[in-house]
Amino acid sequence: MKNNEAVPQGLSIFPTGNANDAFAQYFTGRSFLAPVVNNDELKTHISNVTFEPSCRNNWHSHTGGQILIAVGGRGYYQEKGKPGQLLLPGDVVEIAPNVVHWHGAAPDSWFSHLAVECNGDFNKNTWLDPVTDEEYAEATAGEYGLTEQAAANVGTWYPGAADPIAKTDPELSQIFNNFAFGDTQQYGNLDTRARILVTLASTVAQNTVTEFRKVVGAALANGISPEEVKEVLYHAVPYCGMPRVEDLLGVANEILLEKGVQLPLASHSVVTQADRQEKGLALQVEIFGEGIHNGYKNSPADQLHIQKYLSANCFGDYQTRTVFDKKMRELLTFSILVSLGGCEPQVKGHIAGNLGVGNGRDTLLAVVTQLLPYIGYPRTLNAISCINEVAK
């Protein structure tokens, strides 16, 4: 952990405070302290304590006991002689007087808790030995059992966030996260930004509200702009249909408003009703070649309107928009189509489109591998079959 790494924004609703220098000798790693209640008349003292990943305090006890209320990230509590206990936001620990214990952050997550001093008129701390690396590793091994690579990638995508299923289904959490953030992210040369964007597009195609919400958080935590998050949704409409996108649009707007983003965002359209078909057709030809004109020539009269809609609406209204370039838009389209399933003819067409704009076979295989944990093996294998057929 870098010594100057900032606390993630929005870790909890309570302030982070300042470096906990007064008690630094009793902590392994950096911690921060923010007094919340300091009332001598009520004999009540409450502070928000924030730990960087792997930070923990020494073994210690309180003559008057203590209450911990987890408010952000993932952390641990352990009593002497007992297993470590995973703490997620909302968890409460009641510590009896004179019980020797420690508490701190998970190895790959920031953590904040409220520390409530009980029986303040006589409560005293007794600080003991530091928690050794071996003790800490053993206490925290039960949470995920993540590989080093998986833990690092989880920490990059979801800094300070808790896996919703880690507490109820720790084995499934371990299996999925080791695969999705360890195995599959070691394949291919996609950067974090591209991995998050194609995964976000996949969650839209599948209308998976919980995963979409998580990946939006990952996007914003990794420098992907609100405009880009919204544009993934806009881009998905002609491929998924509005009903599949509309609820997720509401989720994205809710998240952005919570972060103080002013809505609506600026317009990114570059067409008018008068030129949308012309500009859309020009973009189709640029991506797929002159053969696009054959679609018009060979179309039955009662289906020609679909060819015109493809040019004016799918490509004119949506694909010509700014925010993403042609290479990223084709990757998003490919991700959406393979995630929908049953779209193999269109998948093949957009494999050709990806090749036309410079996304090679290796990039497409990297995208499919990235999406495997989210779309499953049948759709993944269908996509690879299409790649093998088109990108020989």
Side-chain angles (χ1 to χ4, degrees):
M1 180 57 54
K2 298 176 182 177
N3 290 332
N4 62 349
E5 184 173 336
V7 181
Q9 293 185 359
L11 182 62
S12 81
I13 62 173
F14 295 96
T16 301
N18 299 315
N20 191 14
D21 292 336
F23 293 89
Q25 61 182 313
Y26 304 120
F27 283 72
T28 300
R30 291 185 305 153
S31 67
F32 302 83
L33 185 67
V36 177
V37 175
N38 195 11
N39 192 311
D40 291 329
E41 185 178 351
L42 295 176
K43 298 183 174 66
T44 301
H45 302 277
I46 303 174
S47 297
N48 185 35
V49 186
T50 300
F51 305 77
E52 71 174 349
S54 297
C55 176
R56 65 273 189 185
N57 49 33
N58 288 9
W59 293 103
H60 63 284
S61 63
H62 312 271
T63 56
Q66 187 181 42
I67 296 173
L68 305 178
I69 304 173
V71 294
R74 300 194 316 280
Y76 274 88
Y77 166 80
Q78 184 181 27
E79 293 182 7
K80 199 75 170 178
K82 295 184 179 181
Q85 177 183 338
L86 174 65
L87 298 181
L88 301 177
D91 287 341
V92 177
V93 180
E94 299 177 1
I95 306 170
N98 301 312
V99 169
V100 176
H101 65 281
W102 67 267
H103 33 103
D108 59 344
S109 174
W110 287 81
F111 177 60
S112 287
H113 67 52
L114 297 181
V116 183
E117 180 182 342
C118 306
N119 303 303
D121 51 345
F122 66 84
N123 200 346
K124 301 295 182 184
N125 283 14
T126 300
W127 290 103
L128 303 170
D129 293 334
V131 177
T132 67
D133 290 345
E134 292 75 18
E135 289 173 323
Y136 177 76
E138 182 179 357
T140 60
E143 177 198 3
Y144 277 154
L146 290 188
T147 65
E148 183 178 352
Q149 182 69 49
N153 286 329
V154 168
T156 297
W157 278 52
Y158 303 120
D163 183 355
I165 68 170
K167 193 167 186 180
T168 57
D169 299 271
E171 289 178 297
L172 180 58
S173 176
Q174 175 185 336
I175 292 168
F176 177 81
N177 284 292
N178 272 331
F179 185 58
F181 293 94
D183 295 345
T184 60
Q185 290 206 19
Q186 293 183 58
Y187 181 84
N189 58 0
L190 296 178
D191 59 19
T192 299
R193 168 186 165 82
R195 290 184 185 277
I196 292 175
L197 285 171
V198 299
T199 305
L200 186 63
S202 178
T203 66
V204 176
Q206 298 176 85
N207 192 238
T208 51
V209 175
T210 298
E211 200 67 30
F212 174 79
R213 185 183 293 275
K214 287 171 58 180
V215 182
V216 169
L220 297 175
N222 283 273
I224 294 172
S225 69
E227 288 79 6
E228 290 169 318
V229 170
K230 292 288 288 286
E231 196 62 30
V232 171
L233 288 156
Y234 284 33
H235 185 88
V237 172
Y239 302 103
C240 303
M242 179 59 86
R244 195 176 286 256
V245 174
E246 191 168 10
D247 287 346
L248 299 182
L249 188 65
V251 172
N253 288 338
E254 173 190 322
I255 294 171
L256 294 178
L257 288 170
E258 287 175 354
K259 293 186 174 296
V261 177
Q262 198 74 25
L263 298 178
L265 301 175
S267 173
H268 295 285
S269 178
V270 297
V271 301
T272 65
Q273 283 296 115
D275 64 12
R276 57 200 279 264
Q277 183 174 344
E278 176 189 351
K279 289 185 176 180
L281 178 58
L283 181 57
Q284 283 180 285
V285 171
E286 185 178 348
I287 295 173
F288 299 100
E290 293 292 332
I292 285 294
H293 294 299
N294 293 332
Y296 277 82
K297 293 176 183 178
N298 299 330
S299 178
D302 61 353
Q303 297 170 36
L304 183 59
H305 63 292
I306 300 297
Q307 296 298 326
K308 293 180 179 179
Y309 293 164
L310 279 168
S311 296
N313 178 245
C314 183
F315 283 85
D317 291 339
Y318 292 101
Q319 293 265 27
T320 62
R321 291 170 57 82
T322 58
V323 180
F324 293 126
D325 60 17
K326 293 188 293 295
K327 292 184 71 172
M328 179 52 70
R329 285 196 180 274
E330 277 302 300
L331 284 185
L332 295 176
T333 302
F334 175 72
S335 303
I336 290 167
L337 293 175
V338 300
S339 299
L340 284 171
C343 303
E344 281 67 36
Q346 290 75 32
V347 170
K348 292 175 186 177
H350 282 279
I351 290 171
N354 271 280
L355 296 173
V357 298
N359 294 322
R361 171 189 167 89
D362 56 341
T363 299
L364 296 177
L365 285 171
V367 170
V368 172
T369 304
Q370 168 64 30
L371 297 182
L372 168 56
Y374 303 91
I375 66 176
Y377 283 93
R379 283 178 283 183
T380 297
L381 293 172
N382 286 347
I384 291 173
S385 178
C386 292
I387 292 171
N388 288 338
E389 181 178 333
V390 177
K392 294 180 180 178

